Amino acid sequence: MPDAVGFIGLGAMGKPMALNLRKHGVPVVVHNRSRDAERTLAEAGASVATSPAAVAAASHTIVLMLPDAPDVAAVLDGPQGLLSALPTGAIVVDSSTIAPAAARAFAAQVAARGGAYLDAPVSGGEIGAIEGTLTFMVGGDADALDAVRPLLAHMGTAEKIVHVGPSGAGQVCKACNQLVIGGTMVAVAEAIALARKAGVDGAKVRQALMGGFAASRVLEVHGERMLTGNYKPGFKARLYKKDLGIVAGALAEAGVVALETALVQQLVHAQLAAGEGEDDYSGVAKSIFRLAGLD
Amino acid sequence: MPDAVGFIGLGAMGKPMALNLRKHGVPVVVHNRSRDAERTLAEAGASVATSPAAVAAASHTIVLMLPDAPDVAAVLDGPQGLLSALPTGAIVVDSSTIAPAAARAFAAQVAARGGAYLDAPVSGGEIGAIEGTLTFMVGGDADALDAVRPLLAHMGTAEKIVHVGPSGAGQVCKACNQLVIGGTMVAVAEAIALARKAGVDGAKVRQALMGGFAASRVLEVHGERMLTGNYKPGFKARLYKKDLGIVAGALAEAGVVALETALVQQLVHAQLAAGEGEDDYSGVAKSIFRLAGLD
């Protein structure tokens, strides 16, 4: 009786996303490695399945929100995996951030079982997940996406559900997203370091810059963090490090020389080397401030 | 009879700025190295002065919009310079983009003559100058700024006239502005290179990224240029190179290690080395595309 929507992976992002499905009255069957998040969903009216296979038996649309590609592989193809019980015509919406090449391989596996796999990573962070205003960057079959659009619109903003291209294209887009944020973040941190050491009020600089071509969401949100020194996550630096590994792999696969992104990656390594991997990723500014002899 | 506003430097930025003063009925006396722009202003009802000293004799507020610090020095202190005839209490508004240290030195010179000097560089580009929507980043005496605010509001947006701090602070802010734009621009170009080589539609990527934390004015405006290959200026790369020289000097003076900005500067040098100094500065993307083996 595949009428519920399956949801596997109830972490910082997955839990609020699944809760938003419940808030819109969608029947949901969940599965998670740890029981705590499952309980929260059960209290919100979701059924709990004991394995990915049990999720598949109850749903023909299954959303995955997992840490990385090996986790997705285990859920799909491991013991009592999703593929072992996948209904024909099922749609797997994988919102995990993984390598484009891994997404293409998963798409082929799911297709061989008669289903469709969409790579559908998100941006907007935990706040976007909670508020249901995520952006979805989707790769894969356009008809499959159209079938799940109403569902994704419960978790994201309808106009921000973008069909980027074929399988893998969503993950390429997410890599571009993480890459652009990193370069912008470091630029903002360098500017704030300059302002601080030149004895100029960084808040005034941010205000002035927001009025022109230097304006960005990073300057607005993360610039504010850097000015106040509030690096409470947000999005943890150690997870951003993982994403930059995916970016570096995608760049290597595509044959793109990205000098700035390589530098951003090194600065994030410095952030983790300083023991700051649990900080928000905007805390990379601290590595830049240290190089400038600032606190 | 100092009742007009003086305007010296009628280039791509200065000419539309001075014209906006005229559009608001402000009496203007202009001086420029070349006669053409003076004629345009004369047709708009401005008086033409034959030297900076003659401008000073007719105005107690004088706006400068010049290419670089040596040009400002020549106008202030050269033959028939502004300082030789500056009325007591005059306010010099220097909207040129120059080094913070130079701005502080000019402020001291003008103060010694009984006037006030504001460093007041702008952002918003030629379009902002034409439309009268510039941002002013102002360093110097707050009372002097308040006295000229109504005037600046004819050339910029009132809420975007920001008093950043004491003399030089406006130029530090402008350096931060140029630095942030550069880092963001290169990040956007690297992302578009990745999308292109991975076979993904860059326009879709840009659309998806505009919905989240990667959103910026650079992605919006210059990302569009990079996607269509339209590098008609805008703001010429050779002028951006000059600004990055100021940024590098300000970083060195303040003792800030800015690895990303150093890299941006080198990529702009590559752009000029490719003979593309007359392109818009977003054309730095071409250097990145070339490194990736793209057209």
Side-chain angles (χ1 to χ4, degrees):
Chain A
M1 192 199 61
D3 58 351
V5 168
F7 206 111
I8 300 177
L10 302 170
M13 296 293 291
K15 190 164 77 174
M17 289 168 73
L19 283 171
N20 276 328
L21 292 179
R22 285 299 308 137
K23 273 180 203 153
H24 286 85
V26 176
V28 176
V29 52
V30 300
H31 177 68
N32 195 48
R33 270 183 302 197
S34 78
R35 298 290 86 85
D36 272 8
E38 286 182 345
R39 268 192 291 274
T40 306
L41 264 296
E43 283 160 18
S47 318
V48 175
T50 55
S51 70
V55 171
S59 350
H60 65 267
T61 304
I62 303 111
V63 182
L64 311 182
M65 189 45 141
L66 298 162
D68 205 349
D71 311 285
V72 177
V75 160
L76 287 179
D77 213 15
Q80 297 189 279
L82 207 56
L83 293 180
S84 66
L86 198 73
T88 304
I91 301 175
V92 177
V93 179
D94 186 3
S95 285
S96 319
T97 294
I98 61 174
R104 286 189 289 267
F106 294 141
Q109 274 187 291
V110 173
R113 285 277 319 179
Y117 170 99
L118 298 169
D119 48 301
V122 300
S123 73
E126 215 173 313
I127 292 169
I130 291 167
E131 296 178 347
T133 56
L134 293 170
T135 294
F136 284 86
M137 304 168 247
V138 187
D141 183 67
D143 292 337
L145 171 58
D146 285 341
V148 298
R149 260 183 202 279
L151 203 65
L152 301 189
H154 294 328
M155 302 181 282
T157 303
E159 314 83 75
K160 293 183 182 175
I161 302 167
V162 181
H163 185 242
V164 186
S167 280
Q171 295 294 350
V172 168
C173 190
K174 178 69 187 274
C176 289
N177 187 71
Q178 300 305 72
L179 179 168
V180 167
I181 289 174
T184 310
M185 192 100 82
V186 170
V188 168
E190 289 184 353
I192 291 175
L194 173 57
R196 287 181 63 190
K197 285 208 79 173
V200 171
D201 182 348
K204 293 272 180 63
V205 169
R206 176 171 160 281
Q207 182 199 341
L209 266 55
M210 280 305 296
F213 277 118
S216 67
R217 286 278 285 150
V218 168
L219 178 64
E220 188 187 348
V221 175
H222 299 295
E224 176 72 21
R225 284 175 167 278
M226 294 174 199
L227 288 168
T228 58
N230 171 18
Y231 301 115
K232 187 176 162 294
F235 182 58
K236 289 182 181 179
R238 65 176 168 79
L239 298 175
Y240 187 53
K241 181 202 174 194
K242 177 219 119 187
D243 287 4
L244 284 175
I246 292 169
V247 170
L251 288 163
E253 192 194 347
V256 174
V257 180
L259 296 168
E260 183 170 293
T261 300
L263 175 60
V264 169
Q265 190 178 24
Q266 299 307 307
L267 288 167
V268 172
H269 292 177
Q271 183 181 10
L272 268 71
E276 297 163 353
E278 301 299 316
D279 281 358
D280 187 72
Y281 66 150
S282 57
V284 71
K286 288 172 79 176
S287 293
I288 290 154
F289 294 167
R290 272 189 293 266
L291 282 171
L294 290 161
D295 292 333
Chain B
M1 190 201 60
D3 60 351
V5 168
F7 206 112
I8 300 177
L10 303 171
M13 296 293 291
K15 189 164 78 174
M17 289 168 72
L19 283 171
N20 276 329
L21 292 179
R22 285 299 307 136
K23 274 180 202 154
H24 286 86
V26 176
V28 176
V29 52
V30 300
H31 177 70
N32 195 48
R33 270 182 301 198
S34 79
R35 297 290 86 84
D36 272 7
E38 287 182 346
R39 268 192 292 273
T40 306
L41 264 295
E43 283 160 16
S47 316
V48 175
T50 55
S51 70
V55 172
S59 350
H60 66 268
T61 303
I62 303 109
V63 183
L64 313 182
M65 191 43 143
L66 298 161
D68 205 347
D71 310 286
V72 177
V75 160
L76 288 178
D77 212 16
Q80 299 189 278
L82 208 55
L83 293 180
S84 68
L86 198 73
T88 303
I91 300 175
V92 178
V93 178
D94 185 4
S95 286
S96 319
T97 294
I98 62 174
R104 287 189 289 267
F106 293 141
Q109 274 187 292
V110 173
R113 283 279 318 179
Y117 170 98
L118 299 170
D119 47 302
V122 300
S123 73
E126 213 173 315
I127 291 169
I130 291 167
E131 295 178 349
T133 57
L134 293 170
T135 294
F136 284 86
M137 303 166 249
V138 187
D141 184 67
D143 292 337
L145 172 57
D146 285 342
V148 299
R149 261 182 202 278
L151 204 66
L152 301 190
H154 294 329
M155 301 181 283
T157 303
E159 314 84 75
K160 293 185 183 175
I161 301 167
V162 181
H163 184 241
V164 187
S167 280
Q171 295 295 351
V172 169
C173 190
K174 178 69 186 277
C176 289
N177 187 73
Q178 300 303 74
L179 180 168
V180 167
I181 290 174
T184 310
M185 193 100 83
V186 169
V188 168
E190 290 184 352
I192 291 175
L194 172 56
R196 286 180 63 191
K197 284 207 80 176
V200 171
D201 182 348
K204 293 273 180 64
V205 169
R206 174 172 161 281
Q207 181 199 342
L209 267 54
M210 280 305 296
F213 278 119
S216 67
R217 286 279 285 150
V218 168
L219 178 64
E220 187 185 348
V221 176
H222 300 295
E224 175 72 22
R225 284 174 168 278
M226 294 174 198
L227 288 168
T228 58
N230 170 19
Y231 302 116
K232 185 175 163 295
F235 182 59
K236 289 182 181 180
R238 65 175 169 79
L239 299 175
Y240 188 52
K241 181 202 172 192
K242 177 219 120 190
D243 287 3
L244 283 177
I246 292 170
V247 170
L251 289 164
E253 191 194 346
V256 174
V257 179
L259 297 168
E260 182 169 295
T261 301
L263 175 60
V264 170
Q265 191 179 22
Q266 298 307 308
L267 288 168
V268 171
H269 292 178
Q271 182 181 9
L272 268 71
E276 297 163 354
E278 301 298 316
D279 280 358
D280 186 72
Y281 64 150
S282 57
V284 70
K286 289 171 78 175
S287 293
I288 290 154
F289 294 166
R290 273 189 292 266
L291 281 170
L294 290 161
D295 291 333

